[in-house]
Amino acid sequence: MTESKSMILGCAGKSLTRDEINFYRSECPWGFILFARNIGEAEQIRDLVAAMRDCVERPDAPVFIDQEGGRVQRLRPPLAPNYPAGGALGALWRNDHDAGNRAAWLMARLHAFDLLRYGITADCLPVLDVPIEGANDVIGARAYGKEPRAVIELGRAAAEGLMSGGVLPVMKHIPGHGRAFADTHFELPTVDASMSDLQRHDFAPFRELNHLPMAMTAHVVYSAIDPKNPATTSGKVIDEIIRGEIGFDGLLMSDDTSMKALSGDFPTKAAAILAAGCDLVLHCNGVFEEMVGIASRTTGLEGTSLQRAQRALTYIKNRDRADEAEIRAEFAAYFDAVA
């Protein structure tokens, strides 16, 4: 078996091309990610996921997806019900904390049922960003609320629901995207909040949930920490804040390198991400030439990063014996998921 490289890659369509197969076989990404363009019908998804794993000769290679609910949900009916956004869970929580927390757990447990039937083993959830008034809507209703306590409680419940169902959670966007006044898909935002405000508001959910197995960085500049580099490529943010202040020692992946917030060509981005201390480089859009550029500067997964990757996979082995019909019925008492 070839050594895995420190990257998670997408693909262009609903099945792998010959070029993609040969590339994955030679470069051996640690994991893969699916987007809406990769989603057709049930058997096609299962075949695509199996083909990805076959290329790297690792049946446990994680396959990721963004399945939050609301507007960020790659699996749609009839493959999975439409689920409410995180903000709807937050609204329920504000009226009844126990009900909100239970609904968040139930929804995440249902995500696990939905994902595993297609072989998808990791969900980029929970969203632990705490928006402020006026921030860009790129987070918006995806957030559980505008107060850290709501985000902590609902994020914890969601992560536990996923893990109970055998799916790996990825908390995002560490150390916090909630103050960004620009959409990182298109430009790089700078946050000018003081360190004390960041510690109290933005970092709090990540610090409380620092035991979770994986996190995704924010393409955001925090001027109080590193005025030149976004968290994704800032050794100072990763070392002093994510690993230090927040205390996260799990597997750290970049946000998508194909987003416009990061500058430079793709080899430069990949090298900067790994040099800053991320364990994995994420590339999502499936553009072949870009993936080749990422791979050209991506190293083998080894040392502490390999240990974190191996440890993360242990979180998804023990599924509970929950009854799917009962979980769906209980969740429907809170929300009507549309089949």
Side-chain angles (χ1 to χ4, degrees):
M1 189 183 300
T2 308
E3 177 186 46
S4 296
K5 291 186 77 171
S6 302
M7 56 187 181
I8 298 168
L9 301 178
C11 67
K14 293 182 175 62
S15 61
L16 298 182
T17 66
R18 175 52 54 187
D19 282 345
E20 287 170 340
I21 290 170
N22 291 334
F23 174 68
Y24 293 153
R25 283 178 176 168
S26 65
E27 296 296 340
C28 287
W30 181 72
F32 300 93
I33 190 164
L34 301 182
F35 272 70
R37 67 178 181 277
N38 309 123
I39 304 299
E41 48 83 32
E43 204 56 39
Q44 169 268 323
I45 302 168
R46 282 190 280 266
D47 288 346
L48 174 58
V49 167
M52 288 171 156
R53 292 189 170 119
D54 182 65
C55 287
V56 296
E57 299 179 346
R58 283 175 41 239
D60 66 343
V63 177
F64 295 76
I65 200 166
D66 291 287
Q67 190 76 354
E68 297 175 12
R71 61 185 161 91
V72 179
Q73 182 177 324
R74 311 304 182 204
L75 296 179
R76 296 283 181 180
L79 298 167
N82 284 320
Y83 291 100
L89 294 169
L92 180 61
W93 181 89
R94 285 190 293 278
N95 288 326
D96 182 334
H97 291 358
D98 290 342
N101 292 336
R102 180 62 178 168
W105 186 93
L106 292 166
M107 190 167 105
R109 185 64 187 84
L110 292 173
H111 286 327
F113 280 119
D114 296 335
L115 299 181
L116 283 186
R117 63 173 50 98
Y118 307 113
I120 302 165
T121 52
D123 191 0
C124 299
L125 185 77
V127 178
L128 297 186
D129 305 309
V130 190
I132 61 169
E133 290 298 332
N136 187 278
D137 196 46
V138 66
I139 300 298
R142 298 166 64 190
Y144 295 118
K146 293 180 178 176
E147 64 269 43
R149 185 182 170 200
V151 176
I152 291 165
E153 291 192 13
L154 294 167
R156 178 184 288 116
E160 289 176 352
L162 288 173
M163 290 187 291
S164 293
V167 169
L168 183 68
V170 183
M171 57 180 177
K172 59 189 183 187
H173 305 82
I174 198 167
H177 205 301
R179 292 179 191 271
F181 280 79
D183 184 343
T184 47
H185 293 88
F186 305 108
E187 58 184 308
L188 176 64
T190 296
V191 167
D192 292 323
S194 68
M195 179 64 87
S196 60
D197 283 347
L198 291 170
Q199 289 169 325
R200 175 186 53 79
H201 184 90
D202 304 63
F203 302 165
F206 298 99
R207 190 167 52 241
E208 287 292 321
L209 301 182
N210 65 10
H211 61 282
L212 292 179
M214 283 197 73
M216 177 189 291
T217 62
H219 293 336
V220 174
V221 171
Y222 305 90
S223 60
I225 307 159
D226 183 345
K228 294 182 179 179
N229 301 295
T232 304
T233 57
S234 171
K236 190 169 186 183
V237 172
I238 291 174
D239 182 49
E240 295 182 11
I241 303 303
I242 294 175
R243 300 299 190 193
E245 169 79 21
I246 288 170
F248 175 68
D249 190 39
L251 190 62
L252 185 64
M253 61 194 274
S254 74
D255 201 350
D256 181 14
T257 49
S258 57
M259 292 161 66
K260 301 295 187 281
L262 297 185
S263 58
D265 60 20
F266 285 88
T268 301
K269 291 179 186 181
I273 287 166
L274 295 175
C278 282
D279 299 305
L280 295 164
V281 180
L282 174 66
H283 184 273
C284 295
N285 69 13
V287 175
F288 188 76
E289 295 75 17
E290 294 180 6
M291 293 194 292
V292 171
I294 292 290
S296 72
R297 299 292 296 278
T298 303
T299 54
L301 192 59
E302 59 188 12
T304 304
S305 292
L306 177 60
Q307 292 170 9
R308 290 172 179 145
Q310 292 170 334
R311 188 169 70 234
L313 293 181
T314 67
Y315 283 68
I316 59 174
K317 290 180 179 174
N318 298 317
R319 298 174 63 182
D320 64 20
R321 299 192 177 187
D323 181 275
E324 183 176 357
E326 290 178 3
I327 297 285
R328 291 204 182 276
E330 186 180 352
F331 182 71
Y334 298 109
F335 295 101
D336 290 324
V338 182

